[in-house]
Amino acid sequence: MVAQFMSLKNAVATCVQDGDVIAMEGFTHLIPHAAGHEIIRQGKRDLTLIRMTPDVIYDQLIGAGCAKKLVFSWGGNPGVGSLHRLRDALENGWPRKLEIEEHSHAAMANAYDAGAAGLPCAVFKGYRGAELPRVNPNIKFIKCPFTGESLAAVPAIRPDVTVVHAQKANKKGDVLFEGIVGVQKEAVLAAKKSIITVEEIVDDFADIPFNAVMLPNWAISTIVHVPGGAHPSYAQGYYKRDNAFYKAWDNIARDRDSFKDWIDQHVMNGGPEDFATRLKMHNAKAEA
Amino acid sequence: MVAQFMSLKNAVATCVQDGDVIAMEGFTHLIPHAAGHEIIRQGKRDLTLIRMTPDVIYDQLIGAGCAKKLVFSWGGNPGVGSLHRLRDALENGWPRKLEIEEHSHAAMANAYDAGAAGLPCAVFKGYRGAELPRVNPNIKFIKCPFTGESLAAVPAIRPDVTVVHAQKANKKGDVLFEGIVGVQKEAVLAAKKSIITVEEIVDDFADIPFNAVMLPNWAISTIVHVPGGAHPSYAQGYYKRDNAFYKAWDNIARDRDSFKDWIDQHVMNGGPEDFATRLKMHNAKAEA
Amino acid sequence: MTNYTPTEMMTVTAARALGNQDVCFVGIGMPSAACNLARLTHAPEITLIYESGTIGTKPDVLPLSIGDGELCETAMNTVPVTEMFRYWLQGGKITVGFLGAAQLDKYGNINTTVIGDYDNPKVRLPGGGGAPEIATSCGEIFLVMKQSKRGFVEKIDFVTSLGYGKGGDDRASYGVTTKGPSRLITDLCIMEPHSVDKHFIVTSIHPGVNRDDIIAATGWQVEFADEIAQTPVPSDHELQILRDLHARTNAAHEGQ
Amino acid sequence: MTNYTPTEMMTVTAARALGNQDVCFVGIGMPSAACNLARLTHAPEITLIYESGTIGTKPDVLPLSIGDGELCETAMNTVPVTEMFRYWLQGGKITVGFLGAAQLDKYGNINTTVIGDYDNPKVRLPGGGGAPEIATSCGEIFLVMKQSKRGFVEKIDFVTSLGYGKGGDDRASYGVTTKGPSRLITDLCIMEPHSVDKHFIVTSIHPGVNRDDIIAATGWQVEFADEIAQTPVPSDHELQILRDLHARTNAAHEGQ
């Protein structure tokens, strides 16, 4: 039951099965891109992909044909524009038709919270006067038994596998998150299995604050050391967001062929070790 | 709307009215004893007192006749025994009859969470096969609209005033909690007004971690500087729990007269500045 | 500095609507520029909150995404996203939320989901994100959006987020107790809701803009208030601060 | 070291029931002593959690209350109490919960609320605290309690926390999917639930105790297993560690 350290290849091969429900989280920060590439490389299929903001990481997985369904609340390239692979899948069914289950951020955040809390559903003040409940049967309304107030309910998120990136693990396999922590902790606690890629493995966590955001080793399945594994997202204390890449992605993903070329070159013929290299190039460019 | 710094006397006089619903929180740690004494000193009456663990602080308020009703989940002197003033009120109606609304810890924690989250009620997996729902009409059950699973519901806690103690405020009135943080943040966010006593006021919070447990000044009504204000509870980083006092309380509170003498001597004829003194004596004893 | 763009006019006007006491839920793009301009000019004590969990942030450059490191590094505190949506937004702690839209109707209902049919969209937009609950949980909403016939429409294709619904008391009928979209700031004018029916009425026109410009850029029948103000022009100071902010931002994002 | 007290026997026996893989929800008093004894002897990797929010704590002295500073200072992590009850306990992350009682019945249902009538109690006890949900959310429950006719009763006055309810499948009828009280460790013996009816059966008797001692200290009709083990005596090492722990604890609490 205690977290096992393994290679990214092994972690994905062991934890992720075709048809699984997968959550890959990280709110701008600490997005597990290296793990996303490994899932593409291993040709996983029919995945239900859950993520509040399916940005570039899911544009890649969707364009590569890994996804059967997307559960999400905001699908764009933040500050840049559309996710062209997502739109191509939704508007044209390429490379395959993509089912969607669409929520608001508040609903998804509450659904992760409920998943971590072992509840079957989340109850919140949401979707009032909004139209999503008309098109998403997984949004219902219940009444507060004390006040009669109508409250929204959505099913808890309970992924087969949650994949996140964190700054540090210690040698025992406890994991530390710092900065914008998003819904990562909830997503891991809500899942049956988890893969956590980390920037660094340290002997122990000396001098960290009492109330740090952490996961103990017995709440994690696998830990993988992938320096730079969040690039082009960022890791607070390690490297900055590669905003230029997010902008460049707009052109890469706009066209099916240029997308496929990019995936061939950087994913199919790449590996997790490339992320440290990419980071060096990014840092060199940032300092130039 | 921004936190005001004031004397404890003013803070209690301004915020607490007879008949109010008051939550004073702190889970073993950071219990706002000085503020409790001030409420007794000002002779507040008919209060509904909410607290997960109404230990010595509420034994004092109840014995002094401030309380009309107690909402709680565990009423004892932890590791020592009974709360004699609470028992005397419940078993004999002294000094007055005390209504109770009794919950479990999980229910209270969820009810604070719901209060902070602006919800009318908390929904959780609780009270299964337990008898409290028979005697507490504020425990109901609802069905998950997706799975049909029966879930417990309790009303959110929304106090008129929440009173807590914290380690530090900065000069702008932001407040920092460290260590065992209990339900304090939730209790303040759930309340209409709040009084936060602090050990120390610093110029600014340099070098505190990104994810510290904090409240911004615009979420707080009043801040009072009361060094030692949690004694005989403790303040991590400042002083230890006065376990000897908790044991001594058993004898003080067992008898109505000795209780009244203690209140006269230490509360009615005392003031918030006594807490710093008490602390010095406690520390001197601990080092002796 | 009499030269300014319509977007600058819009941004400065939005910034001026904010004060030191405000706690703003800030979105990426124009809202972020307006909120930070307010902070860097007349409202240094304003609290800016981004949905990524950063509370009281004071970024030196504008974030490209809603969770850039700059936001966290300059924040008073950073909380989990679950807490942000549960305690801070839903808990009613936010005074002002900024929203934009792909489509907007005269009651301030907004669409950021799809153009066309939901199941067979002509254009699939990013979706609601935080907006459905921002729209109902914040004390009031400022809508900021460039005017066009395509964007300001009689009927939006999908109600992503509630404004005044069908107008009148309709908003309250959903159990919503907050004020709703109390002003709409565009590149041409300021509109405010009618006191009873709640449809938007032009109350202030930006300098150099005439009524026909507004009518030509609006898909619903425009109503003008009896007394219409002229929106004050951006000051040199405001423009300087705003342009410096954008220049710093562009430099920073290129470098990354 | 052949001399040991019945309480020491009970504590050591409870400690031995725990392993390195366990994640324990620890209560104050005997459970705390047993869990820390396990940690200081055969199960150094055991995870101890106190409801005050401390995860993976390794106190050098036993806490007097459930939230002593020692717990936080030696913990891997300290979380808010809301999170503790929501994500960790209700979330199903705890393998073993320890509970004691003022009154216990043969199905492991426990009363820590009142003796007598709820509205007119003979004795008002502290109440449930964490117990009602500990009893149903932990993977299994170890009950630890000194035996007496007053405590081990045919019918408890108030069901604070569920054991096996009325026996058989009754526990599951409340939607509870966890195992329930899988062992009852007393100062005289170990009892385990009947495989079908779930009433407690004596399966191991502590050295020096005979069947009549157990019968005399139990308010229900005691059932003995066909094969009954003799509980192994505490080792010198265990007793030494336990006594040192108590000595350190007493010294520390006096000093405070």
Side-chain angles (χ1 to χ4, degrees):
Chain A
M1 279 290 294
V2 170
Q4 296 191 38
F5 291 91
M6 45 175 91
S7 70
L8 186 55
K9 191 172 171 183
N10 274 352
V12 168
T14 308
C15 293
V16 181
Q17 310 302 320
D18 286 354
D20 270 357
V21 176
I22 311 284
M24 303 180 78
E25 280 294 351
F27 207 93
T28 306
H29 184 211
L30 296 173
I31 302 175
H33 277 275
H37 285 192
E38 187 63 35
I39 290 173
I40 294 173
R41 226 169 3 249
Q42 294 191 17
K44 301 295 182 187
R45 286 294 176 271
D46 297 324
L47 303 177
T48 292
L49 295 177
I50 305 178
R51 181 170 162 76
M52 292 179 69
T53 56
D55 43 22
V56 169
I57 187 174
Y58 275 11
D59 214 31
Q60 294 175 353
L61 281 151
I62 290 164
C66 302
K68 177 182 69 176
K69 181 177 175 182
L70 175 69
V71 181
F72 77 110
S73 43
W74 194 86
N77 184 346
V80 178
S82 291
L83 294 174
H84 300 293
R85 296 298 97 225
L86 170 59
R87 282 186 57 180
D88 203 9
L90 291 181
E91 296 170 9
N92 310 306
W94 191 93
R96 54 173 293 181
K97 212 167 154 40
L98 183 70
E99 297 168 45
I100 57 169
E101 177 177 334
E102 186 170 2
H103 286 283
S104 67
H105 279 354
M108 297 275 293
N110 275 285
Y112 276 118
D113 174 85
L119 292 168
C121 64
V123 173
F124 65 110
K125 282 163 75 168
Y127 291 125
R128 292 179 173 187
E131 199 170 340
L132 270 183
R134 179 178 67 77
V135 296
N136 181 348
N138 267 343
I139 302 168
K140 295 182 187 263
F141 292 87
I142 64 167
K143 283 210 181 311
C144 169
F146 302 100
T147 65
E149 186 176 351
S150 173
L151 298 167
V154 293
I157 294 175
R158 307 296 298 262
D160 293 311
V161 190
T162 285
V163 184
V164 298
H165 188 76
Q167 277 103 338
K168 285 187 182 78
N170 64 20
K171 290 205 165 158
K172 293 170 62 182
D174 305 319
V175 166
L176 175 68
F177 300 86
E178 283 182 308
I180 291 177
V181 295
V183 294
Q184 282 99 303
K185 183 169 162 176
E186 288 79 7
V188 170
L189 291 176
K192 296 187 189 77
K193 283 179 276 187
S194 56
I195 299 172
I196 305 188
T197 56
V198 296
E199 287 298 323
E200 193 180 0
I201 295 171
V202 299
D203 284 346
D204 56 53
F205 293 143
D207 296 326
I208 62 163
F210 295 135
N211 307 112
V213 180
M214 290 183 67
L215 285 167
N217 60 5
W218 44 269
I220 298 164
S221 316
T222 58
I223 296 175
V224 184
H225 185 210
V226 189
H231 177 270
S233 164
Y234 72 105
Q236 190 91 44
Y238 292 83
Y239 48 93
K240 290 198 172 184
R241 191 171 193 263
D242 189 350
N243 282 327
F245 180 88
Y246 279 91
K247 289 180 180 171
W249 182 254
D250 194 59
N251 264 326
I252 296 165
R254 197 177 288 272
D255 177 82
R256 290 178 187 171
D257 287 333
S258 69
F259 167 77
K260 283 194 286 190
D261 287 349
W262 192 92
I263 292 288
D264 277 345
Q265 191 183 338
H266 294 94
V267 180
M268 300 316 288
N269 293 313
E273 61 284 358
D274 300 342
F275 280 78
T277 317
R278 238 166 255 161
L279 208 60
K280 272 186 207 141
M281 290 170 56
H282 165 50
N283 285 341
K285 208 174 60 182
E287 278 163 27
Chain B
M1 280 289 295
V2 169
Q4 295 191 39
F5 290 91
M6 44 175 90
S7 71
L8 186 56
K9 191 171 171 181
N10 274 352
V12 168
T14 309
C15 294
V16 181
Q17 311 302 320
D18 285 355
D20 270 358
V21 176
I22 311 284
M24 303 181 78
E25 280 293 350
F27 207 93
T28 307
H29 184 212
L30 296 172
I31 301 174
H33 277 275
H37 285 192
E38 186 63 35
I39 290 172
I40 294 172
R41 222 167 9 246
Q42 294 192 16
K44 302 295 180 186
R45 285 293 176 272
D46 297 324
L47 303 177
T48 292
L49 295 176
I50 306 178
R51 182 170 161 75
M52 291 179 69
T53 55
D55 44 22
V56 169
I57 187 174
Y58 275 10
D59 214 32
Q60 294 174 352
L61 281 151
I62 289 164
C66 303
K68 176 183 69 177
K69 180 177 175 181
L70 175 69
V71 181
F72 77 110
S73 43
W74 194 87
N77 185 345
V80 178
S82 291
L83 293 174
H84 300 292
R85 295 298 97 227
L86 169 59
R87 283 186 56 180
D88 203 9
L90 291 181
E91 295 169 10
N92 310 307
W94 191 92
R96 54 173 292 182
K97 214 169 152 40
L98 183 70
E99 298 167 46
I100 57 168
E101 177 178 333
E102 185 170 3
H103 287 283
S104 67
H105 278 353
M108 298 276 291
N110 274 286
Y112 276 119
D113 174 85
L119 292 169
C121 64
V123 173
F124 65 110
K125 282 162 75 169
Y127 291 126
R128 293 180 174 187
E131 198 170 341
L132 269 184
R134 180 179 67 77
V135 297
N136 181 348
N138 266 343
I139 302 168
K140 295 183 187 261
F141 291 88
I142 65 166
K143 283 211 181 309
C144 169
F146 302 101
T147 64
E149 186 175 351
S150 174
L151 298 166
V154 293
I157 294 174
R158 309 295 299 261
D160 293 311
V161 190
T162 285
V163 184
V164 298
H165 188 75
Q167 276 104 337
K168 286 186 179 79
N170 64 21
K171 289 204 166 159
K172 293 170 62 181
D174 306 317
V175 165
L176 175 69
F177 300 86
E178 284 181 309
I180 291 176
V181 295
V183 294
Q184 283 100 303
K185 182 168 163 176
E186 287 78 7
V188 170
L189 292 177
K192 296 187 189 77
K193 283 179 275 186
S194 56
I195 299 171
I196 305 189
T197 56
V198 296
E199 287 299 323
E200 193 179 359
I201 295 171
V202 298
D203 285 345
D204 55 54
F205 292 144
D207 296 325
I208 62 162
F210 294 134
N211 308 110
V213 180
M214 291 182 67
L215 285 168
N217 59 4
W218 44 269
I220 299 164
S221 316
T222 59
I223 296 175
V224 185
H225 186 208
V226 188
H231 177 271
S233 165
Y234 72 105
Q236 190 90 43
Y238 292 83
Y239 48 94
K240 291 197 170 183
R241 190 170 193 264
D242 189 350
N243 283 327
F245 180 87
Y246 279 91
K247 289 180 180 171
W249 182 255
D250 194 59
N251 264 327
I252 295 164
R254 195 177 290 272
D255 177 82
R256 291 175 187 173
D257 287 333
S258 70
F259 167 78
K260 285 193 285 190
D261 287 349
W262 192 92
I263 292 288
D264 278 346
Q265 190 183 338
H266 294 94
V267 178
M268 300 315 289
N269 293 312
E273 60 285 357
D274 299 343
F275 280 78
T277 318
R278 237 166 257 161
L279 208 59
K280 273 186 207 142
M281 290 170 56
H282 165 50
N283 286 340
K285 208 174 60 181
E287 278 163 29
Chain C
M1 212 186 285
T2 41
N3 277 333
Y4 52 86
T5 68
T7 299
E8 285 174 334
M9 180 73 208
M10 178 166 71
T11 306
V12 169
T13 305
R16 285 176 177 173
L18 298 167
N20 274 324
Q21 303 305 310
D22 278 318
V23 178
C24 297
F25 213 79
V26 187
I28 283 305
M30 229 289 303
S32 186
C35 290
N36 280 289
L37 177 60
R39 181 176 63 79
L40 295 167
T41 54
H42 65 281
E45 296 302 316
I46 192 171
T47 299
L48 305 187
I49 290 184
Y50 289 71
E51 65 193 15
S52 54
T54 53
I55 296 177
T57 182
K58 299 167 186 276
D60 187 51
V61 302
L62 297 176
L64 180 66
S65 176
I66 203 92
D68 281 16
E70 174 84 4
L71 295 174
C72 174
E73 284 158 19
T74 61
M76 188 208 71
N77 193 214
T78 299
V79 302
V81 164
T82 47
E83 178 180 324
M84 178 49 68
F85 279 95
R86 300 182 78 249
Y87 290 176
W88 300 93
L89 180 61
Q90 182 176 272
K93 305 298 182 191
I94 315 290
T95 64
V96 180
F98 269 91
L99 292 174
Q103 288 183 329
L104 177 77
D105 71 19
K106 68 179 171 184
Y107 290 116
N109 303 298
I110 70 180
N111 174 19
T112 54
T113 304
V114 284
I115 304 298
D117 179 59
Y118 183 81
D119 291 313
N120 286 294
K122 255 185 271 179
V123 182
R124 175 63 226 198
L125 303 166
E133 285 76 20
I134 292 171
T136 55
S137 293
C138 295
E140 62 186 315
I141 295 295
F142 293 168
L143 295 172
V144 189
M145 191 175 158
K146 284 198 183 188
Q147 270 186 264
S148 75
K149 276 220 147 109
R150 223 172 56 163
F152 284 51
V153 299
E154 185 62 37
K155 187 171 165 23
I156 60 181
D157 290 358
F158 193 89
V159 182
T160 307
S161 307
L162 180 69
Y164 295 107
K166 301 183 183 73
D169 293 334
D170 194 44
R171 180 177 169 89
S173 76
Y174 299 100
V176 179
T177 54
T178 52
K179 209 170 166 186
S182 57
R183 68 185 83 187
L184 164 58
I185 297 159
T186 81
D187 51 338
L188 304 178
C189 66
I190 300 173
M191 300 194 206
E192 293 174 80
H194 182 277
S195 61
V196 177
D197 182 62
K198 301 297 186 187
H199 61 273
F200 279 123
I201 297 170
V202 176
T203 55
S204 181
I205 298 179
H206 300 344
V209 175
N210 62 47
R211 292 188 176 209
D212 287 344
D213 297 331
I214 296 171
I215 291 167
T218 307
W220 66 74
Q221 197 177 334
V222 181
E223 186 173 326
F224 294 88
D226 293 340
E227 283 183 39
I228 294 190
Q230 189 182 66
T231 319
V233 296
S235 72
D236 287 357
H237 179 64
E238 286 166 324
L239 285 172
Q240 191 61 54
I241 297 284
L242 179 60
R243 288 170 188 179
D244 288 352
L245 180 61
H246 280 306
R248 280 200 304 280
T249 299
N250 289 335
H253 291 180
E254 288 309 313
Q256 290 167 18
Chain D
M1 212 185 287
T2 40
N3 275 334
Y4 53 84
T5 68
T7 299
E8 285 174 334
M9 180 73 208
M10 178 166 72
T11 306
V12 169
T13 304
R16 287 177 177 172
L18 298 167
N20 274 325
Q21 302 306 310
D22 277 319
V23 178
C24 297
F25 213 80
V26 187
I28 283 305
M30 228 291 302
S32 186
C35 290
N36 280 290
L37 177 59
R39 181 176 63 79
L40 294 167
T41 54
H42 65 282
E45 296 303 316
I46 192 171
T47 299
L48 305 187
I49 290 184
Y50 289 72
E51 65 193 15
S52 55
T54 52
I55 296 177
T57 183
K58 298 167 186 276
D60 187 52
V61 302
L62 297 176
L64 181 65
S65 175
I66 203 92
D68 281 16
E70 174 84 4
L71 294 174
C72 173
E73 284 158 19
T74 61
M76 187 208 70
N77 194 213
T78 299
V79 301
V81 165
T82 47
E83 179 180 323
M84 178 51 67
F85 279 96
R86 300 182 79 249
Y87 291 176
W88 301 93
L89 180 62
Q90 181 176 274
K93 306 296 182 190
I94 316 289
T95 63
V96 179
F98 269 90
L99 292 173
Q103 287 183 329
L104 177 78
D105 70 19
K106 68 178 170 184
Y107 290 116
N109 302 299
I110 70 180
N111 174 18
T112 54
T113 304
V114 283
I115 305 298
D117 179 59
Y118 183 82
D119 292 311
N120 287 294
K122 254 184 274 181
V123 182
R124 175 63 226 198
L125 302 166
E133 285 76 21
I134 292 171
T136 55
S137 293
C138 294
E140 61 187 316
I141 295 295
F142 293 168
L143 295 172
V144 189
M145 191 174 158
K146 283 196 184 188
Q147 268 186 264
S148 75
K149 275 220 147 109
R150 224 173 54 165
F152 285 51
V153 299
E154 185 63 36
K155 188 171 163 25
I156 61 180
D157 290 359
F158 193 88
V159 183
T160 308
S161 308
L162 180 69
Y164 295 107
K166 300 184 184 73
D169 294 334
D170 194 44
R171 180 177 169 88
S173 76
Y174 299 101
V176 178
T177 54
T178 51
K179 208 169 166 187
S182 58
R183 67 186 84 188
L184 164 57
I185 297 159
T186 81
D187 51 338
L188 304 178
C189 65
I190 301 172
M191 301 193 206
E192 292 174 81
H194 182 277
S195 60
V196 178
D197 182 62
K198 302 296 185 187
H199 62 273
F200 280 123
I201 297 170
V202 176
T203 56
S204 181
I205 298 179
H206 300 344
V209 176
N210 62 48
R211 293 187 177 211
D212 287 345
D213 296 333
I214 297 171
I215 291 167
T218 308
W220 66 73
Q221 197 177 333
V222 181
E223 186 174 327
F224 293 89
D226 293 340
E227 283 183 38
I228 293 190
Q230 190 182 65
T231 319
V233 295
S235 72
D236 287 358
H237 179 65
E238 287 167 323
L239 285 172
Q240 191 60 53
I241 297 285
L242 179 60
R243 287 170 188 178
D244 287 353
L245 179 62
H246 280 306
R248 281 200 303 278
T249 299
N250 289 336
H253 292 179
E254 287 309 313
Q256 293 166 18

